[in-house]
Amino acid sequence: MTQNSSTPIHKEVRHVVIYGFNRQELERLMQHYKAALPDFVDISVKSANLLTKITLTGTNTGLQLLQFQMNQLHQALQMIFSEELITIEDKTLSVVLGELLMEKELTVSSAESCTGGNIAHKIVQKSGSSAYFLGSVVSYSNDVKADVLGVSRSDIARHGAVSREVAEQMALGAAKLMRTDCAIATTGIAGPEGGSKFKPVGTVWFAVKYGKRIVSECVHFDGDRDNVIESATNHGMVMLIRLLRNTYSEQEDINDD
């Protein structure tokens, strides 16, 4: 029995955007889910710099049944990545962050060393970002960290520019300088030169401020200079998104002295 050519074919699309997995980890976590997908559903997984967009596209003749099945598949996918979920819409990190800041009527600034202004660049890609993004200091040198952001020179000498102490003071300095509710700070080694045994290339310290709370993390990223910069940019924005959503989990204490 052949299908009537006049029967309309309906299309339903669902998205899940997650953060924190490389391609190998994604394949392992999703192998059973992919294997169980019905023939009428295609899946696309686009991943770069630990940010992944998964798109489900279903096509069938019965609209209501298709919507029901797609919703079930969508919910199952969200359950797999419940802790890593950023959004269930086709949105960038800058859009998600911007909407959160707008919703809460908050402002943000950035203090960037290794990311060189890339966080600011990403944030202002969203139209209307002037409502919440006030500015950035690209504090590439220690003199700018100290003279503009107020980072302690003794802390730089003792702990190094790539350290928790410096990152936290950078965030606090940016928020104070630009009078913002929130701030994101990055200081690290993008490479290919500059690494050491204890702080290899790809090491980045982050600090994120929201209100009176400040959190910090150290992350080691793989890849070349561009990958480290993009990964660090994503990570800094994700930290603030989670802090604003009250879903942020403190990193276990790291001693990098």
Side-chain angles (χ1 to χ4, degrees):
M1 182 177 179
T2 59
Q3 182 176 296
N4 190 326
S5 60
S6 63
T7 303
I9 301 296
H10 300 285
K11 179 180 176 181
E12 289 287 317
V13 180
R14 302 288 186 273
H15 301 284
V16 168
V17 179
I18 58 174
Y19 176 79
F21 295 107
N22 59 38
R23 288 182 176 87
Q24 291 75 22
E25 290 169 334
L26 285 168
E27 284 298 321
R28 177 175 54 81
L29 288 167
M30 294 183 63
Q31 59 181 342
H32 297 300
Y33 179 85
K34 282 184 173 182
L37 284 175
D39 293 339
F40 61 85
V41 177
D42 291 325
I43 185 169
S44 167
V45 181
K46 296 182 179 179
S47 185
N49 308 115
L50 302 178
L51 187 68
T52 301
K53 182 174 76 172
I54 305 170
T55 303
L56 301 174
T57 304
T59 53
N60 217 329
T61 54
L63 178 58
Q64 290 187 334
L65 180 58
L66 176 62
Q67 290 175 334
F68 175 77
Q69 292 170 317
M70 289 295 288
N71 288 341
Q72 284 192 317
L73 292 169
H74 195 208
Q75 289 169 5
L77 192 58
Q78 292 173 56
M79 288 179 66
I80 296 173
F81 301 108
S82 58
E83 295 184 6
E84 297 79 22
L85 188 65
I86 300 298
T87 179
I88 57 172
E89 299 179 76
D90 187 10
K91 294 179 179 178
T92 63
L93 284 178
S94 60
V95 169
V96 174
L97 178 57
E99 289 177 349
L100 275 169
L101 292 165
M102 289 282 285
E103 176 188 328
K104 295 177 179 291
E105 298 182 344
L106 299 171
T107 55
V108 67
S109 57
S110 63
E112 304 182 54
S113 186
C114 63
T115 47
N118 200 44
I119 290 175
H121 168 66
K122 295 292 185 182
I123 289 175
V124 302
Q125 285 182 327
K126 183 184 182 306
S127 176
S129 55
S130 59
Y132 50 83
F133 181 70
L134 301 195
S136 176
V137 174
V138 181
S139 53
Y140 218 62
S141 75
N142 289 340
D143 285 340
V144 174
K145 290 180 178 70
D147 296 341
V148 178
L149 293 173
V151 177
S152 164
R153 289 184 183 272
S154 62
D155 281 343
I156 294 174
R158 178 181 176 184
H159 303 286
V162 181
S163 62
R164 180 197 304 274
E165 291 78 7
V166 170
E168 290 185 352
Q169 290 175 56
M170 286 171 64
L172 290 169
K176 181 179 179 180
L177 181 66
M178 285 171 266
R179 300 177 183 177
T180 56
D181 306 296
C182 308
I184 305 171
T186 61
T187 179
I189 308 160
E193 298 88 19
S196 67
K197 177 181 178 181
F198 296 104
K199 295 178 183 178
V201 169
T203 301
V204 181
W205 267 102
F206 299 86
V208 173
K209 177 186 180 296
Y210 169 32
K212 295 181 179 180
R213 187 181 182 191
I214 186 163
V215 298
S216 51
E217 291 184 8
C218 182
V219 181
H220 300 275
F221 297 107
D222 295 326
D224 61 17
R225 184 179 182 85
D226 288 342
N227 282 325
V228 171
I229 291 172
E230 287 296 322
S231 296
T233 297
N234 288 345
H235 195 86
M237 288 196 289
V238 168
M239 282 179 68
L240 182 52
I241 287 170
R242 289 175 174 166
L243 203 56
L244 293 173
R245 288 176 171 171
N246 199 31
T247 59
Y248 180 81
S249 297
E250 297 274 359
Q251 186 182 53
E252 292 185 10
D253 195 34
I254 292 176
N255 182 4
D256 66 339
D257 287 342

